[in-house]
Structures are given as structure tokens and as C-alpha cells.
Amino acid sequence: MPPRSRVTIRDVAAQAGVSVATVSKVLNQRYGVAAETLARVQAVIKELGYEASLVAQSLRNHRTNVIGILVADIEPFSTELLKGAADAIRGTGFELVVYSAGGRTGDPQGWEQRYLTRLSGTLVDGAVLVTPAVDLEGLPGTPVVAVDPHTGRSPLPTVDSDNLHGGQLATEHLISLGHSRIALLTGREDLKSAQQRETGYRRALAAAGIAVQENLIRRGDYDHDIAAESARELLAGPDRPTAVFAANDITAIATIEAALELGLRVPDDVSVVGFDNIPESALCTPPLTTVQQPIREMGRRAITLLVRLINGESPDETHITLGTELIVRHSARALTLSEDRRFS
């Protein structure tokens, strides 16, 4: 069966027995259409399943009432953030469209700009960029909000969490359990969040009088496979760390898996703490101790901020930082006195 052709405004006009101009008035809720004609046109629109083209609508009204969310990939962090965005969009009159690069960003320094160029002006009224790699000012007339922004200075409105405090919380928790050989699997070096989590790790060690061992800091990149390789390198040697702080839950789970491959038990042989508190963190074995950042709330706040910008309203604040807290589960344990002496 051949595919059904798209219903056009001319099809609606022909079946309703009116002009295209009259259908346009109905679609745009303009005056000058008799009640009987209005009802007939609306009935035909419903019967034919007509949907106005977003491009055509934007050319007429200079608005699409669509917000775009740009993500590099659909993974646990972005999934939780999208849930919050969906919560916030209800009742605003806007629709939400997600654009994913499918993990194939190619040039990590330019994919967001390419996507914005394609979408702005005719397809979306504004955009939320999730973990953008570069400083973007958006396009003229296109409001943009960045979630978990890059490390450079940015004029864009931003939403993130208190990553520095979170990094301190994770490391202080391991220190309180008697650990001093604490490894770090870092995040993406281009993101502010990763730099702040590492700073928190270093500050917590310094405050406890523990020297930072640079050989225990390895690349994690917020990536499962990269983190798994780094974790195997850390844990395979005889002088392995007693604990690992992974800069996000995906890399923490990869660390647990790598430990299992090496015949090590978590937390008996090595303690692991993550960051994010994605749903998977409570479901892995053992359940992961982690730092919670309010990811869904970050999505909600980003949409709320963007809608106000699109509507020409002045937001209360344009750089929003939300709190973090430690969630204690079962992936970290205290060292015994004998273990502490052995590893010291």
C-alpha cells in the first residue's frame, strides 16, 4: 500500500467548501469567520487529521511553540533530565522535541552550533543544550539555556548542581571510613562539572592531611568503556587503591564490573562511590553509594527559565546551581585497623 500523502490546507479548504484564507483564519484563531463555518472547518480538520507545518506556522507567526532539547546521546543522565523537562512543559503551551546526535557527534567542539543553525528560527523557539562542549551564544532571537555547561566563560543562562561540594562529600565519606588510598576516575575534561568534582576530591584529601597521589587519578570521561579500562589498570596491580571515587554513576558501575572481572569484591576488596544517583545506581550489585544531584529538577528549571526568556520575561536568576547530597548504600565500607596498617 503506498504511503498516505500529507493532508494540506488546500485539502481542508476543498472539503469544507471554503477558501484557503478562511481555513488559515480558523487555524490562527482570527476574527471574521461565522460560527457555522468555523465549526465546519474544525470538523474537517479533525476528520482529515490535518496538522499545520511547523515551518509554515513559524513563517506566519514567527513562533512554533516548540522547544528543542539537544543531547549528544540518550543515556541515563539525559533521560532523567528529559523527565524533568517533560514535567515542566505541561501547561506552558509549548511542545518539546528532543534532538540527539546518537553519540556520533563527530566534532565535539561544533555539533551544538550545527544543530542550532538547523533548528533555530523555523523549527524551535528556543533550545536547551545538555552538556555542551563549547561556549555558545546561540543565534539571534533564539534563547538558549545550557545544562551542565563547559568549563569556559559563558553568557548563556545555565543550570547545574554544586559539583564541588558533591566531590568533597564523596571523598570525605571514604575518608571517614578509614580510606586514604582513594583513586579518582575523572569526568569529561571540557565540562565544568568534572573539574569541580576533581577539585572537591583534592580539597577533601588536603583538609584531611592526605597527600594527593597523582598516579591514582585516571581518565573516566563519563564513559563506561573508558572508565572500565582505567579501573582495570588501577585495580590489577598489587598496590591498588582501597577506594575509588568515580565522577559519575556510569563510571562507578563500570568500576564495579571491572573489579568483578579481576576477582575483587565490592566493597570487601575495594569501595566505590559514584555521582548522579541515576536509577541504575540503586539497582546494581551492590547498590551504589553516590552523590545525588537533582537531575530531574535541573531539567524542570531549565525549561522554566527558557520559557520565560522566550516570552520576553525577566527571570529571577540566569545561573542556577542546585544542591547535592550523599546517598549511602552498600558499595563502600570501613577499613579495619589491620587493613589500614597494611595499606598505609
Side-chain angles (χ1 to χ4, degrees), residues 155-234:
L156 292 180
T158 59
V159 178
D160 60 8
S161 66
D162 193 343
N163 292 286
L164 191 151
H165 180 59
Q168 287 180 291
L169 286 175
T171 310
E172 287 169 353
H173 177 64
L174 291 169
I175 293 170
S176 74
L177 295 175
H179 297 277
S180 57
R181 283 187 55 78
I182 303 171
L184 170 68
L185 291 181
T186 63
R188 262 177 51 187
E189 63 179 10
D190 60 304
L191 292 181
K192 183 171 68 174
S193 63
Q195 289 193 353
Q196 291 180 331
R197 292 172 200 183
E198 180 174 341
T199 298
Y201 161 85
R202 290 177 178 274
R203 286 189 182 179
L205 290 176
I210 300 171
V212 175
Q213 300 179 61
E214 298 295 337
N215 65 312
L216 295 183
I217 300 176
R218 302 293 178 90
R219 180 185 174 205
D221 234 27
Y222 294 158
D223 180 272
H224 179 281
D225 294 342
I226 292 172
E229 181 178 352
S230 294
R232 283 190 288 268
E233 292 173 358
L234 280 168

Side-chain angles (χ1 to χ4, degrees), residues 67-333:
I67 286 173
I69 297 190
L70 278 63
V71 297
D73 202 0
I74 303 294
E75 36 71 41
F77 176 87
S78 62
T79 298
E80 286 302 295
L81 190 130
L82 290 172
K83 292 176 184 177
D87 292 340
I89 207 74
R90 297 188 186 100
T92 64
F94 287 87
E95 298 176 0
L96 196 63
V97 178
V98 180
Y99 298 88
S100 170
R104 301 180 299 275
T105 54
D107 172 15
Q109 299 298 309
W111 75 272
E112 298 104 335
Q113 186 67 63
R114 292 195 304 272
Y115 271 50
L116 274 178
T117 301
R118 294 173 188 170
L119 304 174
S120 298
T122 57
L123 292 178
V124 299
D125 293 330
V128 173
L129 301 182
V130 181
T131 61
V134 294
D135 185 3
L136 293 168
E137 297 186 20
L139 299 178
T142 304
V144 175
V145 173
V147 176
D148 192 7
H150 71 108
T151 57
R153 292 173 58 86
S154 176
L156 292 180
T158 59
V159 178
D160 60 8
S161 66
D162 193 343
N163 292 286
L164 191 151
H165 180 59
Q168 287 180 291
L169 286 175
T171 310
E172 287 169 353
H173 177 64
L174 291 169
I175 293 170
S176 74
L177 295 175
H179 297 277
S180 57
R181 283 187 55 78
I182 303 171
L184 170 68
L185 291 181
T186 63
R188 262 177 51 187
E189 63 179 10
D190 60 304
L191 292 181
K192 183 171 68 174
S193 63
Q195 289 193 353
Q196 291 180 331
R197 292 172 200 183
E198 180 174 341
T199 298
Y201 161 85
R202 290 177 178 274
R203 286 189 182 179
L205 290 176
I210 300 171
V212 175
Q213 300 179 61
E214 298 295 337
N215 65 312
L216 295 183
I217 300 176
R218 302 293 178 90
R219 180 185 174 205
D221 234 27
Y222 294 158
D223 180 272
H224 179 281
D225 294 342
I226 292 172
E229 181 178 352
S230 294
R232 283 190 288 268
E233 292 173 358
L234 280 168
L235 300 177
D239 197 25
R240 66 175 184 267
T242 63
V244 177
F245 167 38
N248 75 348
D249 288 347
I250 292 297
T251 56
I253 293 170
T255 301
I256 293 174
E257 293 171 352
L260 183 62
E261 291 173 11
L262 295 170
L264 301 175
R265 297 163 299 169
V266 176
D268 294 344
D269 298 314
V270 61
S271 292
V272 179
V273 174
F275 200 112
D276 279 341
N277 197 29
I278 59 176
E280 289 83 350
S281 66
L283 301 175
C284 67
T285 303
L288 182 66
T289 292
T290 187
V291 173
Q292 174 175 279
Q293 61 172 337
I295 304 174
R296 288 185 70 155
E297 180 63 17
M298 290 163 69
R300 282 192 286 266
R301 296 290 286 273
I303 291 296
T304 300
L305 175 56
L306 182 59
V307 168
R308 296 196 68 170
L309 293 171
I310 292 171
N311 289 333
E313 303 172 10
S314 297
D316 296 331
E317 52 185 330
T318 55
H319 297 286
I320 300 169
T321 298
L322 304 177
T324 49
E325 62 176 309
L326 183 70
I327 306 297
V328 177
R329 296 194 179 104
H330 305 297
S331 63
R333 73 170 180 91

